[in-house]
Amino acid sequence: MKTILVPTDFSKNAYCALHYATQLFAEDHCRFFIIHSFEDQVSTRTSRIDIGKTEDVVEELYTLYEGKCEEVKHRIILDAKNDHHSYEVIATSIELSRAINRLIVKEEIDFVVIGSKGSTGASNILMGSNTLRIIRKIKKAPLLVIPQEFDFKPVENIAFATGFKRAYGQNDLQPLVYIASLNKSNIKVIHVHTKEKMTEEQRINFHQLFQLLKKGSPETNWLSGEKDVYATITSYLNKEHIDLLAMIYYKHNAIVQLFREATVKDIAKYTRIPFLILPTTN
């Protein structure tokens, strides 16, 4: 059984992310947690001096948002009927990314699924600030980011973008392999290169990757990206009708050029297809 955590702010975008998750994992037994953090309201509505008042307000907010989460739960049960899926709701006064990290450990979360924007997102921005904050702070679980009001369609082609700059761990790739296997998806490994030849280290990592992915019979695609890595990747995604983009999120490593923190966030900000961010165990 897989355990899926889906934050909600009760927006249409958040519900679309939840619905997408139910369809992506439709063929497996899943336990879904629907979570909402009202931490921002606690700080604006409570008094540091009047402790009694603070406790009353927090209790009121718990009751309110547990009820709203229950409404989301009942709606998704009706909209995505599946006897293999169960749902639990959580309302919390803890800041969202902290709450997510705690639940990842406590409930052994397999995937976190989140909408790219919340209810207050501007129409010309494809990735909200809360989502970007979660991308930076999420730990020990893959994060699946669903674009604004994105309708589910079968995941036939998955692009895994990599620079072969580091060795791959089997656990790093397991979420990607699982989604591909569950949905019978093709995995297309894409490498944006600025030089004609790979280094010896890259060649070793290349062969290691294909050993780890061999059951999925991955396809290799070499893309020339001397001018603009982002434009090269997005052009390929559109041309090849890619349904999901996956990348490993390498953090605090200056030698990783393509997958340095800023690049991952930039692509997350502009991609119009679901984006799977894999944490590294290295």
Side-chain angles (χ1 to χ4, degrees), residues 175-209:
L176 169 63
V177 172
Y178 164 75
I179 289 177
S181 175
L182 187 67
N183 293 274
K184 299 178 174 60
S185 312
N186 302 311
I187 297 178
K188 299 176 181 287
V189 177
I190 58 176
H191 170 58
V192 181
H193 64 91
T194 56
K195 298 179 180 180
E196 292 185 4
K197 295 182 179 180
M198 290 192 295
T199 65
E200 180 62 24
E201 182 182 13
Q202 284 179 304
R203 282 194 290 270
I204 292 172
N205 294 335
F206 169 83
H207 290 298
Q208 180 202 29
L209 174 64

Side-chain angles (χ1 to χ4, degrees), residues 12-274:
K12 184 175 181 180
N13 295 333
Y15 187 79
C16 285
L18 173 61
H19 188 271
Y20 184 96
T22 65
Q23 302 308 297
L24 182 67
F25 302 111
E27 299 302 317
D28 205 349
H29 289 77
C30 294
R31 180 186 180 204
F32 288 87
F33 282 95
I34 301 169
I35 182 173
H36 174 75
S37 168
F38 53 86
E39 179 265 344
D40 57 335
Q41 293 200 43
V42 171
S43 60
T44 58
R45 292 181 55 182
T46 59
S47 169
R48 294 182 180 180
I49 300 175
D50 190 341
I51 302 300
K53 178 182 178 181
T54 297
E55 292 178 351
D56 290 343
V57 170
V58 170
E59 187 62 33
E60 177 187 335
L61 291 171
Y62 269 120
T63 301
L64 172 64
Y65 288 112
E66 281 181 351
K68 290 175 73 68
C69 285
E70 284 289 344
E71 291 176 5
V72 174
K73 169 184 169 179
H74 292 305
R75 179 183 173 187
I76 196 64
I77 289 173
L78 291 174
D79 289 348
K81 294 179 181 179
N82 191 324
D83 293 337
H84 298 321
H85 291 174
S86 63
Y87 300 88
E88 298 180 37
V89 303
I90 298 173
T92 179
S93 61
I94 300 173
E95 190 270 330
L96 183 59
S97 60
R98 288 179 60 203
I100 289 174
N101 281 326
R102 290 184 183 183
L103 284 167
I104 287 172
V105 176
K106 180 181 178 182
E107 301 293 345
E108 298 181 347
I109 300 297
D110 294 293
F111 291 90
V112 178
V113 183
I114 188 168
S116 62
K117 290 201 305 181
S119 58
T120 59
S123 60
N124 63 333
I125 298 175
L126 300 181
M127 185 68 63
S129 58
N130 283 338
T131 303
L132 291 173
R133 188 178 303 113
I134 290 173
I135 289 174
R136 290 194 299 269
K137 294 185 177 182
I138 197 71
K139 299 174 182 177
K140 299 181 181 179
L143 177 65
L144 182 59
V145 182
I146 309 302
Q148 183 180 16
E149 298 182 17
F150 190 86
D151 291 327
F152 179 82
K153 61 180 181 177
V155 181
E156 297 179 358
N157 297 304
I158 299 175
F160 175 57
T162 181
F164 309 117
K165 295 290 185 72
R166 290 176 53 162
Y168 304 93
Q170 187 170 9
N171 290 338
D172 296 341
L173 299 171
Q174 192 278 331
L176 169 63
V177 172
Y178 164 75
I179 289 177
S181 175
L182 187 67
N183 293 274
K184 299 178 174 60
S185 312
N186 302 311
I187 297 178
K188 299 176 181 287
V189 177
I190 58 176
H191 170 58
V192 181
H193 64 91
T194 56
K195 298 179 180 180
E196 292 185 4
K197 295 182 179 180
M198 290 192 295
T199 65
E200 180 62 24
E201 182 182 13
Q202 284 179 304
R203 282 194 290 270
I204 292 172
N205 294 335
F206 169 83
H207 290 298
Q208 180 202 29
L209 174 64
F210 276 80
Q211 282 298 309
L212 293 171
L213 295 179
K214 63 181 179 181
K215 288 186 178 179
S217 301
E219 172 187 313
T220 310
N221 296 273
W222 303 91
L223 312 177
S224 177
E226 294 183 359
K227 295 182 179 179
D228 190 329
V229 172
Y230 164 72
T232 300
I233 291 178
T234 52
S235 175
Y236 174 85
L237 299 179
N238 293 329
K239 181 180 177 181
E240 298 298 324
H241 306 291
I242 299 299
D243 302 302
L244 186 148
L245 170 65
M247 300 174 79
I248 295 177
Y249 186 26
Y250 295 118
K251 194 172 184 180
H252 304 312
N253 190 324
I255 68 170
V256 181
Q257 295 300 315
L258 180 56
F259 303 110
R260 65 188 186 276
E261 184 174 346
T263 301
V264 173
K265 287 188 293 185
D266 287 345
I267 293 177
K269 190 173 181 178
Y270 296 105
T271 185
R272 294 181 180 271
I273 62 172

